[in-house]
Amino acid sequence: MARITTGTRQSPTGRARTRASAGAGLLLLGTLLTGCGAEPGDIPLSELRPETPAATEPTPAATPGVVGAAVGAPAAPAHNGLIVSRASTDSSRTSSAIITLSPDGTGQHQVTQPPARALDDRPDWSPDGTTIAFDRTDPHTGTARLWTVPTAGGPEHQISQLCDGATADCTNEDERAPAFSPDGKQVAFSRSWGALDTSGSHQVQYSDLYLMSPEGTDVQRLTFLTNDKPYSGAVSNPSWSPDGKQLTFEYRTSATGQPANSRAIYVVSADGTGLRQLTPWELRAGERADWSPDGTRILFTTYPAGPDNAPGGAIYTVHPDGSAVGALTPATSNAFFGPASYAPDGKSIVFTQAPSGAGADLYSMQADGTGVTRLTNSADRWLSRPAWGTADVPAAPADQVQAPQAPQAPQASQASQAHRTPRTPRPDARQPAQAQGQTSADKPRSGTESGSRPGSGSGSDE
């Protein structure tokens, strides 16, 4: 993986945090689709140096479908544990929290305590099931930051944000949609930054994917879709392949994108090469896709043109090479469908569904689309963006015990955590604007995400 270096390389434990910059990213080498705006940036070759691989123990070959399993070792039965989801904490949906529930829909437990009118969203499991990563949108600024919380609930921790100063590339800076790598050593996320489009669309200049450690160090830019085409779209919702070698993500174009106001799922290798479009524009696939545990299929949701939450989409699967696209739900429907997630054993799927004009709940179905079962009946809470993990029901701390199906009200005492005093940038921090002549960070806004600031990403299931 190529990375700009600014001095003597330090050990991982002593390495100063790499600032989010084009220089911290990867030069895309694959052949890109015409009109998608995915050309690599004009980064001087003198600024790109190969990263020397750290000395590691030999990695055993993997058994298909079982990440990290040694050759000859029997595959352990997959355990379908808790489901994590976003849920509104009030009927007007002005605030949302992260909840967990059992695979049968019972035992809802609120694990985050957002400040009043804050939005906790896009949860993802750590591989060991002990931690949930999510983003929290500040009600005052409309910007999102990345957080983690123990599965049982308890102290929430904000991952150190990339921007902490008033430089140009920190303008409107926003970090969303964390996704743990299968080995737990990296977190992929979307970042946006830059001036807002003055035409009234509220689109932000730049948007792309980044990688970092779970502690917020070793930040690397993964894609350059909007590098040379500011205001062209929003990149968001990454998801890892089971072997950790590829990621899918959503690219949602703006009014000035090509094509305009559309969306598709893309695939990129974890080293930044091989960028390609997975779904055709006419399908309008979006939000977070999900890989089957054996890596043979990718689950995704489609959204009709027009207002968000409009009925008429569907849930599909596709092979990683883009072949065998097939619908699991009716291709024409009066229901709204949100993101879906495979069970760890790959035999079931949890997904969001809402009848036309009604709120959303969680449902499950078999991997072939049969056997649809309603899991929850709390439409006023708009349960959505589920992710299915392996975690067992944890013992909640004594002060965190909650009644099933009844999330606690947001606690204002957490507000101070969401409003940290901006830090002064280190003098050795390299910024994208300095490295590439740009103005600001990495994920343009599309003005479609309900409940957050205009243009803050791609959210269709609000």
Side-chain angles (χ1 to χ4, degrees), residues 42-398:
D42 296 326
I43 305 174
L45 293 180
S46 61
E47 293 295 327
L48 290 173
R49 298 181 178 87
E51 176 81 357
T52 303
T56 58
E57 295 296 324
T59 303
T63 301
V66 183
V67 178
V71 170
H79 170 63
N80 294 340
L82 293 173
I83 295 169
V84 68
S85 174
R86 184 275 308 273
S88 295
T89 58
D90 58 276
S91 59
S92 59
R93 293 164 51 198
T94 58
S95 183
S96 61
I98 304 304
I99 68 166
T100 59
L101 61 155
S102 298
D104 63 1
T106 62
Q108 290 185 30
H109 175 72
Q110 184 175 327
V111 297
T112 68
Q113 307 298 323
R117 303 185 69 83
L119 297 170
D120 290 356
D121 208 345
R122 300 173 188 80
D124 187 62
W125 292 101
S126 64
D128 61 7
T130 63
T131 303
I132 298 168
F134 63 99
D135 61 51
R136 171 171 289 171
T137 301
D138 185 282
H140 302 291
T141 65
T143 57
R145 301 296 176 217
L146 305 182
W147 292 69
T148 60
V149 65
T151 300
E156 300 160 2
H157 170 69
Q158 183 180 347
I159 299 174
S160 184
Q161 63 194 57
L162 274 64
C163 276
D164 51 18
T167 56
D169 52 319
C170 288
T171 302
N172 295 314
E173 202 265 353
D174 190 274
E175 299 160 24
R176 294 178 186 264
F180 280 103
S181 62
D183 62 7
K185 295 180 179 179
Q186 290 182 298
V187 173
F189 63 100
S190 59
R191 180 174 181 256
S192 60
W193 76 104
L196 293 176
D197 186 352
T198 57
S199 68
S201 67
H202 301 293
Q203 185 78 29
V204 168
Q205 280 179 297
Y206 303 108
S207 173
D208 274 293
L209 291 190
Y210 280 72
L211 301 178
M212 65 179 176
S213 73
E215 296 74 33
T217 61
D218 196 21
V219 180
Q220 306 161 41
R221 185 172 177 178
L222 187 63
T223 66
F224 292 83
L225 272 165
T226 64
N227 194 60
D228 297 328
K229 288 181 169 54
Y231 304 110
S232 61
V235 173
S236 191
N237 297 304
S239 179
W240 293 82
S241 62
D243 60 9
K245 295 181 179 180
Q246 298 181 89
L247 297 97
T248 54
F249 63 91
E250 175 192 30
Y251 181 44
R252 189 170 186 178
T253 60
S254 67
T256 61
Q258 297 178 4
N261 299 316
S262 194
R263 56 204 305 172
I265 301 298
Y266 276 64
V267 178
V268 64
S269 296
D271 63 0
T273 62
L275 178 70
R276 57 190 172 85
Q277 186 173 336
L278 180 66
T279 62
W281 293 113
E282 55 268 25
L283 264 183
R284 295 186 56 82
E287 277 289 344
R288 182 184 61 200
D290 191 49
W291 296 71
S292 62
D294 63 4
T296 62
R297 301 197 73 81
I298 297 171
L299 188 66
F300 66 92
T301 306
T302 63
Y303 300 90
D308 285 348
N309 307 330
I315 297 174
Y316 288 76
T317 61
V318 61
H319 288 322
D321 63 2
S323 65
V325 176
L328 297 181
T329 60
T332 57
S333 171
N334 63 353
F336 160 82
F337 292 95
S341 173
Y342 277 106
D345 65 5
K347 297 178 181 179
S348 302
I349 292 168
V350 60
F351 62 98
T352 300
Q353 179 176 302
S356 180
D361 269 293
L362 300 185
Y363 292 71
S364 68
M365 62 182 169
Q366 299 301 307
D368 62 1
T370 62
V372 174
T373 302
R374 185 169 185 167
L375 299 180
T376 64
N377 188 16
S378 49
D380 60 326
R381 301 182 60 201
W382 201 272
L383 272 61
S384 187
R385 294 195 173 101
W388 205 327
T390 59
D392 289 313
V393 178

